[in-house]
Amino acid sequence: MNDRSIIETPVVGDRELWVDGYLPGAVEQQKPSGLQLDTAWLRGALFRQRWLVGATLLAALLLGLVITLLSTPIYQANATVRIQPWGNFIVEGQDVSSPINSTNEIAGFMATLGTVIQSRNLAEVVAQDLDLGARNALLGPDVDASRPPQRSDEEWAQDRTRMAISALQRGVSADVPFDSQIITISFRSTDPVLAAEIVNAYAQAFQQSDTRRNVESNAYAREYLLEQISDIRSRLSDSERSANAYARSAGIVTPQTTGTDGEGGGPTITGANLSSINQTVAQARANRIAAEQRWRSVANIPAAQLPEVQNNPAIQGLIQQKAELTGELTNLRQRYNDQFPEIVDVKARIDIIDEQIEQTGANVKATIRNEFTIARNQEAALTSELSSVTQEALVEQDETVEFTGLEREAEALRTQLTALLDRYNSISTAANVENGAITVLDRAIVPSSPVAPDLVRNMILALVMGVALAGALALVREIFVDQFRRSEDVDERLGIPVLGLTPYVKSEEIDRQEANQFSSLMEAYASIRSTIDFSIPRDGAVVQLTSSQGSEGKSTTALIIAELFARLGRRTLLIDADLRKPSIVKLLDIEPKEAGITEVLLGHASMDDATIEGVHENLRILSVAGIPPNPVELLSSTHFRDFVEAQRKEYSLIIIDSPPVLGLADSPEIAQVADATIFVIEANRTSFAQAKTAVKRLTHVGANVIGGILTKYRALEAGSDYAYQYQYQYYQYGGDKK
């Protein structure tokens, strides 16, 4: 079973109807979205319209061949010129007329040259050089026939020149490549000699135009530079005088020092003083900060604890003496009391040493404080001096700003004058050196063979146009041809499920296909029989087969399906109810009986006398013997209804081969007594409108149309992938059983 999500399930009787592994009429929850190309339909359409497509392509190719053979030969001459964007710069100054400045501009430069070649200006030069206005080689021998009668000879000569210029512009072309600097100049004409002559004239005129442009550019550059040099000299003289006058009036003096570059100049005297004292103040401030920090770190510390005091040699000597006296005092006290004279003397000496140590530490600490005081006073004095010098420098700075501007202007004018003089000297030196960016590489030769008409190109073009025209015609035919081609058309157009399809079999092959139960035809009908079996009641079912028109395979389908049911052991009755044009007996190729369905319904014969037996076990056939004058009345009578109801009890399945629906009322009448109606459609013949009308007539009378069978199905014309697989599998399977 296909992986589909079913929402609705059609039921016939008490059975669900399954077709080709899924339920017909079911609505799928997911469908492909977006525009999709149906390649299967396209393949089938191309096969169906193969004769139209082939004829259109053949006609297009023949037309292209005729046009090619009747066209006038066109010859093309080619000349190549080499482009050197920067030219050959032999001496400095030759690049004054260089057309580009960077490699990024090469593409634009080459495109510009291509436009120049096709310009009217260059065409006028070529027309004048070759005197094409007075010659008929380009304009043609019949050009004078178009001369207006009121034009004078001079005016007509001008008109001929203008026509020649226009013809040159139309015929010339320039091939500008993107990966090289070689331009190909081409011209097409019916005269090969004239084409080569014109191309060579174009190449020469193109090269000369570049030379003229270089000469004109050099002359203009020299003239322009002379004007600029004269103007700059005058402005430089005025600027230098203005700078000197201002320096004298403002009293700005700078030491005249000469450096390695030979240029004088430097800071002013006031500026030099300011720089020097600023350095001194900075050093004094650093000294004051160091002294202040040292003093602040020792101000609240006892002098004896200062490292400077402890490391002082004098204090260290006093401490050594005190230690000796203290040792001596200790020894004396072991023998005498404190009133002993020697002990009193030692104690007095120790007190004196303590006073000396304390006084010396105080002196060291006072020295640190004095150093801080001195550094602070020095900083204050230098700061006051710096403020005074700064005021003087600020006043001078205001004056120097104006002076510097004057000096800068003068220096800029000096630099500009030097550059202009150097450029003028370079251009003057290179003025007489020929410099061109364009060089003729290959001159044109007289072409020996035409370039047009091109048979291969014209045939390809004709083929492309033929394909387009054939596709359009085939599409129009496909749009306006309203026929069933695929099984999907039955479901989409008629709204009924597809019970199956049968392949197209030639008339002479039908008997052989029917005799082989593994043939493609019989395998297809076996599948259809299985589908029908699941769609109808098990016993006493009445199945009607009909179609919209005749010769759609309805009778053949009814006969084969009846035989297949009979092979299963089910008692089957096949009734040929086409009372106007019966065909069951003809299909069996047997002699009809003297009595048939008409005689049975009218009571003139019994079923045993009218039925045909022996075709297959369990199968009886009720054919038509005599054609009644009123088939519709007979089929709509109670005799027919009672007859069908009576036969339900005798047979497991009753199959009725009905007449076509359109134009006749027989099938709708039969449909009212049948349990199920099967609609037979011939592929590639039955139109949608006919089939839709026929199905609508059946449904209006209450017919239970359980589905349709697509007969005489041509896989290639259908074009679907399923169709190809279907045909391949059936034919391959049948071939294996031969």
Side-chain angles (χ1 to χ4, degrees):
M1 180 175 178
N2 293 342
D3 186 14
R4 304 189 179 190
S5 181
I6 305 301
I7 297 179
E8 297 179 1
T9 304
V11 179
V12 179
D14 56 353
R15 297 172 181 265
E16 292 183 351
L17 176 58
W18 295 83
V19 181
D20 291 340
Y22 70 98
L23 295 177
V27 180
E28 298 182 9
Q29 290 181 341
Q30 296 182 351
K31 293 184 178 180
S33 59
L35 181 62
Q36 294 183 348
L37 177 63
D38 192 347
T39 57
W41 176 87
L42 180 62
R43 184 169 57 243
L46 290 176
F47 182 80
R48 291 190 294 271
Q49 307 298 334
R50 58 189 180 278
W51 298 113
L52 173 63
V53 173
T56 304
L57 292 180
L58 180 60
L61 292 175
L62 289 176
L63 181 61
L65 179 61
V66 171
I67 293 176
T68 301
L69 296 178
L70 296 180
S71 299
T72 302
I74 302 297
Y75 296 87
Q76 176 176 306
N78 301 317
T80 57
V81 292
R82 180 180 180 182
I83 309 300
Q84 294 175 309
W86 291 280
N88 294 320
F89 302 146
I90 301 174
V91 296
E92 184 180 359
Q94 285 187 268
D95 58 344
V96 66
S97 59
S98 178
I100 63 175
N101 297 319
S102 66
T103 56
N104 296 331
E105 301 177 9
I106 292 180
F109 172 64
M110 296 293 292
T112 301
L113 293 182
T115 305
V116 170
I117 293 174
Q118 297 174 312
S119 65
R120 183 176 181 82
N121 189 354
L122 202 61
E124 291 176 355
V125 175
V126 174
Q128 183 178 1
D129 292 344
L130 299 181
D131 197 14
L132 294 177
R135 298 165 56 184
N136 293 336
L138 179 63
L139 300 178
D142 300 331
V143 63
D144 291 330
S146 60
R147 175 179 178 177
Q150 69 276 13
R151 303 292 287 178
S152 64
D153 292 342
E154 182 179 356
E155 292 175 339
W156 179 239
Q158 294 176 356
D159 292 342
R160 287 174 60 98
T161 301
R162 284 193 292 269
M163 287 188 289
I165 293 172
S166 299
L168 288 175
Q169 282 189 281
R170 291 192 303 269
V172 72
S173 62
D175 181 15
V176 182
F178 68 92
D179 55 351
S180 68
Q181 283 78 50
I182 305 296
I183 296 180
T184 302
I185 304 176
S186 305
F187 190 85
R188 290 190 174 190
S189 174
T190 56
D191 185 355
V193 177
L194 178 64
E197 182 181 6
I198 291 176
V199 168
N200 289 328
Y202 256 103
Q204 184 177 359
F206 186 44
Q207 183 182 24
Q208 291 176 353
S209 68
D210 179 65
T211 303
R212 287 194 300 270
R213 180 180 61 83
N214 291 339
V215 173
E216 293 172 358
S217 298
N218 286 331
Y220 173 77
R222 290 197 303 273
E223 181 180 353
Y224 174 78
L225 288 175
L226 283 175
E227 294 177 359
Q228 293 295 313
I229 289 172
S230 176
D231 179 64
I232 294 300
R233 280 175 175 170
S234 176
R235 291 170 56 190
L236 177 59
S237 177
D238 295 340
S239 179
E240 288 176 341
R241 284 195 293 269
S242 297
N244 290 332
Y246 184 83
R248 187 179 298 108
S249 64
I252 299 175
V253 180
T254 59
Q256 297 297 321
T257 59
T258 303
T260 56
D261 55 357
E263 296 182 357
T268 62
I269 294 176
T270 302
N273 291 337
L274 178 62
S275 177
S276 176
I277 196 172
N278 190 46
Q279 293 178 359
T280 304
V281 169
Q283 183 63 39
R285 182 178 292 110
N287 294 337
R288 188 267 306 168
I289 292 173
E292 181 179 4
Q293 291 297 324
R294 178 58 184 157
W295 167 243
R296 291 182 182 276
S297 63
V298 303
N300 298 323
I301 300 175
Q305 298 179 6
L306 295 179
E308 290 84 349
V309 174
Q310 295 176 353
N311 296 329
N312 190 287
I315 292 178
Q316 290 179 354
L318 292 174
I319 292 174
Q320 181 65 30
Q321 292 177 13
K322 180 180 178 181
E324 294 176 355
L325 291 174
T326 301
E328 183 179 353
L329 178 62
T330 301
N331 293 329
L332 291 174
R333 281 179 175 176
Q334 292 177 357
R335 291 178 293 172
Y336 306 104
N337 57 21
D338 290 342
Q339 287 75 26
F340 189 74
E342 291 185 9
I343 293 178
V344 172
D345 181 57
V346 171
K347 289 174 64 177
R349 291 168 60 186
I350 291 175
D351 292 338
I352 293 172
I353 291 174
D354 288 337
E355 291 177 0
Q356 291 178 349
I357 291 174
E358 182 178 357
Q359 183 63 36
T360 303
N363 292 338
V364 171
K365 188 173 182 179
T367 301
I368 296 175
R369 183 185 60 187
N370 293 336
E371 289 178 354
F372 162 62
T373 302
I374 294 171
R376 183 177 58 188
N377 294 336
Q378 289 179 347
E379 179 188 10
L382 290 174
T383 301
S384 177
E385 181 65 18
L386 175 63
S387 178
S388 175
V389 176
T390 300
Q391 292 298 326
E392 296 177 1
L394 289 175
V395 174
E396 186 184 58
Q397 183 176 357
D398 294 337
E399 298 172 347
T400 306
V401 170
E402 183 67 22
F403 176 73
T404 303
L406 296 174
E407 277 291 326
R408 187 181 298 111
E409 181 180 359
E411 184 63 28
L413 291 174
R414 293 188 195 97
T415 303
Q416 189 174 357
L417 179 60
T418 302
L420 289 174
L421 289 173
D422 293 341
R423 188 61 173 168
Y424 179 79
N425 293 332
S426 299
I427 294 175
S428 299
T429 303
N432 296 325
V433 179
E434 183 179 356
N435 173 39
I438 301 173
T439 306
V440 178
L441 187 61
D442 292 320
R443 296 181 61 84
I445 59 176
V446 178
S448 59
S449 59
V451 295
D454 188 343
L455 178 60
V456 176
R457 187 189 64 180
N458 289 351
M459 296 305 290
I460 293 176
L461 181 61
L463 179 61
V464 172
M465 296 180 64
V467 169
L469 179 60
L473 294 177
L475 181 61
V476 170
R477 288 197 63 184
E478 285 293 320
I479 292 175
F480 287 99
V481 173
D482 189 26
Q483 294 177 346
F484 290 88
R485 304 195 186 280
R486 305 179 300 173
S487 59
E488 292 87 344
D489 295 337
V490 178
D491 189 11
E492 295 173 359
R493 298 298 184 93
L494 296 183
I496 61 176
V498 183
L499 301 180
L501 48 85
T502 63
Y504 173 79
V505 179
K506 296 181 180 179
S507 301
E508 58 271 17
E509 293 289 330
I510 292 180
D511 293 338
R512 187 181 65 83
Q513 291 272 344
E514 290 183 3
N516 182 8
Q517 61 176 340
F518 298 108
S519 64
S520 60
L521 181 65
M522 296 307 295
E523 290 286 359
Y525 275 118
S527 176
I528 296 172
R529 193 275 314 156
S530 177
T531 303
I532 296 174
D533 193 18
F534 279 95
S535 307
I536 59 176
R538 190 65 180 174
D539 294 320
V542 179
V543 179
Q544 175 195 17
L545 275 78
T546 186
S547 61
S548 59
Q549 57 186 341
S551 302
E552 294 192 51
K554 165 179 57 63
S555 299
T556 302
T557 300
L559 177 60
I560 296 177
I561 290 177
E563 291 179 350
L564 292 175
F565 273 106
R567 289 177 183 175
L568 295 178
R570 298 179 61 177
R571 284 176 53 79
T572 305
L573 174 63
L574 173 61
I575 301 176
D576 189 351
D578 191 349
L579 303 183
R580 305 171 189 273
K581 190 178 179 181
S583 57
I584 295 296
V585 176
K586 293 180 181 179
L587 293 175
L588 292 173
D589 195 17
I590 59 177
E591 292 293 332
K593 283 196 172 186
E594 296 180 358
I597 184 174
T598 303
E599 289 74 18
V600 172
L601 293 178
L602 295 176
H604 298 163
S606 64
M607 276 290 292
D608 294 336
D609 295 334
T611 55
I612 300 173
E613 298 182 7
V615 176
H616 195 282
E617 186 180 359
N618 299 323
L619 175 62
R620 300 184 72 183
I621 300 173
L622 181 59
S623 63
V624 178
I627 304 298
N630 51 352
V632 177
E633 295 179 2
L634 186 61
L635 295 174
S636 61
S637 64
T638 57
H639 297 289
F640 181 70
R641 295 176 179 270
D642 295 340
F643 168 75
V644 173
E645 291 300 325
Q647 300 306 317
R648 286 179 182 271
K649 302 176 183 180
E650 300 293 333
Y651 295 94
S652 174
L653 177 64
I654 301 174
I655 297 177
I656 302 176
D657 180 20
S658 304
V661 177
L662 297 181
L664 302 175
D666 300 12
S667 289
E669 294 293 341
I670 298 173
Q672 298 180 41
V673 301
D675 297 326
T677 299
I678 299 175
F679 195 74
V680 179
I681 306 165
E682 181 180 350
N684 304 309
R685 176 169 174 258
T686 305
S687 68
F688 295 140
Q690 290 176 339
K692 189 173 183 179
T693 302
V695 172
K696 186 178 294 185
R697 285 193 62 190
L698 293 172
T699 56
H700 281 176
V701 300
N704 180 23
V705 182
I706 65 173
I709 298 176
L710 193 64
T711 61
K712 303 179 184 180
Y713 176 78
R714 297 175 182 265
L716 293 177
E717 292 188 3
S720 66
D721 296 334
Y722 173 76
Y724 280 106
Q725 183 181 7
Y726 173 90
Q727 187 188 50
Y728 173 81
Q729 288 178 346
Y730 270 89
Y731 277 100
Q732 184 70 24
Y733 186 55
D736 293 341
K737 294 295 181 180
K738 288 183 180 180

